[in-house]
Amino acid sequence: MYRLPVDSPQQVVALLEPTPLTESLHLTVTDEYCGALTVPYFDGTPLETHALVQACGLFDLGYTSRIRLSGEDQVRWLNGMITNSAQALQEGMSNYNFVLNAQGRIQGDLHAFRRANDFVLETTRDQRDVLMSWFDRYIIMDDVELTSLDEHLTAIGVAGPTSASVITKVGIPIEDLSAGTFTAATLGSTEITVCHTDDSILPHYEIWISPRGVASLWSALIAAGAVPCGSGAVEMLRILSGSPRYGVDIRGRDLPQETNQTRALHFAKGCYLGQEIVERIRSRGTVHRSFGGFALTGHTPSAGAILSVDGKPVGELTSMATLPDGRQIALGYARRELSERSIPFDYDGGVAHTASLPFQLSPE
């Protein structure tokens, strides 16, 4: 059983809710991740990261949140609220999106899943209430309804080279599930949804399930060969994949093109909130700074560490990780023209070199 370190911030813990899996497994206390209480590690982040990279890692996705969007106007309304195309999604498909304000600044991010009669919008718990309130402001005469599904659904993640075979062993068919698609299935008498995500360097699946069935599924996947991983390994995989996290790598002042997440943008779908700014940036061809990866030498910096060239600030580091092989990597922003020229950046205690995303996995 994992127990909270004695120096953890109790005030933060007291304000958050544990994930359904944490409650079902009777884990006494956990750490915060994306607005929920989760286990940071089981056997140690390096071992768990190794399992994700070389075999099959299993992790709690109870920090994610799902919102159901229904109503006669759901497609038209959603298409006007997100940066990707809701109209182009066919049943069983999903895409990644930003939510913008009228000035084109990013207010949140989500994945949209198209079901037969509705959409499911997946985000993180720390964004759920803000996004639901934001969306509610723009429901005027529209026949749409937003409903949180968090009382009825939680999720488990499975990732790694052998993840597909492990999932198949427990009786979940995924042979025809390509990246960016999902399907409904049953596991015994329990209804589930299996999603093949498209934002990772490794085979990566989500399994949506009711809170009452999550502990049994967790145990079955461990018996099939999956290694339990905490949020520390999940964060390591996120950074390796080069995927920015809202609230850490993406803030409310950032513009979509600055994040380099072109997968979130659709330029031919029609009008949506913030589109004018996005299109203006596209027509001009560039932004002054851009999100990217960095290889670090020196001391491990803190989040927000300033990057400089010749003593002048030109960027910042937003996420850092030390890999099991000892490499130090980071995500962050820098002046585009300097990154393109691969100019080294100084930070307090070290040097950052531009690195391609996703980061390369080390051989075993």
Side-chain angles (χ1 to χ4, degrees):
M1 179 177 291
Y2 177 80
R3 294 184 182 278
L4 185 74
V6 295
D7 58 347
S8 293
Q10 299 292 342
Q11 291 93 339
V12 173
V13 170
L15 295 174
L16 299 172
E17 296 179 356
T19 67
L21 178 67
T22 298
E23 291 187 308
S24 296
L25 295 179
H26 306 295
L27 300 175
T28 52
V29 188
T30 54
D31 281 5
E32 184 273 341
Y33 188 70
C34 294
L37 295 178
T38 61
V39 175
Y41 59 85
F42 289 88
D43 291 323
T45 297
L47 294 174
E48 295 168 13
T49 302
H50 183 270
L52 285 168
V53 171
Q54 300 293 343
C56 177
L58 172 68
F59 44 93
D60 185 8
L61 286 174
Y63 62 83
T64 57
S65 185
R66 275 152 285 277
I67 303 165
R68 178 176 182 255
L69 172 66
S70 58
E72 291 293 326
D73 298 329
Q74 58 180 287
V75 177
R76 176 191 58 77
W77 181 86
L78 182 60
N79 207 61
M81 293 301 301
I82 57 178
T83 55
N84 217 326
S85 177
Q87 296 170 331
L89 283 181
Q90 302 297 314
E91 181 182 347
M93 296 174 59
S94 67
N95 60 20
Y96 178 62
N97 296 267
F98 292 136
V99 177
L100 309 180
N101 63 15
Q103 290 73 42
R105 307 289 177 175
I106 302 171
Q107 305 304 295
D109 67 348
L110 59 86
H111 282 83
F113 294 80
R114 183 71 166 107
R115 301 197 298 192
N117 300 310
D118 58 16
F119 286 87
V120 173
L121 310 179
E122 183 185 66
T123 186
T124 51
R125 278 211 201 173
D126 52 5
Q127 295 188 72
R128 176 194 60 200
D129 294 345
V130 172
L131 285 178
M132 288 191 72
S133 177
W134 178 265
F135 287 152
D136 191 60
R137 292 172 53 188
Y138 292 94
I139 299 175
I140 310 301
M141 299 294 289
D142 309 283
D143 181 9
V144 295
E145 182 176 356
L146 297 167
T147 308
S148 173
L149 298 177
D150 289 349
E151 289 188 9
H152 310 289
L153 280 179
T154 187
I156 284 176
V158 187
T162 64
S163 54
S165 63
V166 169
I167 293 172
T168 302
K169 281 182 184 178
V170 303
I172 302 174
I174 56 171
E175 294 84 358
D176 300 326
L177 206 59
S178 58
T181 67
F182 66 100
T183 187
T186 57
L187 184 62
S189 59
T190 303
E191 294 182 354
I192 62 173
T193 299
V194 189
C195 316
H196 188 171
T197 69
D198 63 350
D199 59 349
S200 178
I201 52 178
L202 297 166
H204 188 167
Y205 299 88
E206 292 184 8
I207 304 173
W208 302 354
I209 191 169
S210 67
R212 65 179 178 275
V214 67
S216 295
L217 176 60
W218 180 267
S219 298
L221 288 164
I222 292 174
V227 175
C229 298
S231 58
V234 172
E235 182 72 356
M236 186 84 70
L237 179 59
R238 179 189 73 80
I239 295 172
L240 272 169
S241 300
S243 299
R245 174 179 156 193
Y246 190 81
V248 176
D249 308 289
I250 303 175
R251 285 69 53 94
R253 67 174 184 269
D254 295 325
L255 297 164
Q257 283 97 325
E258 291 178 329
T259 70
N260 273 332
Q261 303 304 299
T262 55
R263 64 194 178 101
L265 303 176
H266 195 289
F267 293 103
K269 69 167 193 149
C271 297
Y272 61 91
L273 189 63
Q275 181 206 16
E276 181 180 351
I277 306 301
V278 173
E279 183 58 34
R280 186 184 304 167
I281 294 172
R282 184 173 80 101
S283 65
R284 292 178 178 176
T286 188
V287 288
H288 296 300
R289 67 184 195 123
S290 62
F291 179 78
F294 301 90
L296 308 181
T297 57
H299 297 299
T300 303
S302 300
I306 299 300
L307 297 176
S308 63
V309 173
D310 296 330
K312 298 179 180 179
V314 294
E316 65 174 318
L317 300 175
T318 53
S319 291
M320 276 68 62
T322 301
L323 302 180
D325 61 10
R327 285 183 296 158
Q328 294 185 90
I329 60 174
L331 302 175
Y333 294 85
R335 295 284 299 186
R336 178 182 290 272
E337 69 275 13
L338 299 177
S339 294
E340 291 174 347
R341 291 161 54 194
S342 298
I343 291 178
F345 302 96
D346 297 317
Y347 66 85
D348 187 14
V351 178
H353 298 269
T354 303
S356 299
L357 293 178
F359 291 99
Q360 295 296 309
L361 299 173
S362 294
E364 189 173 6

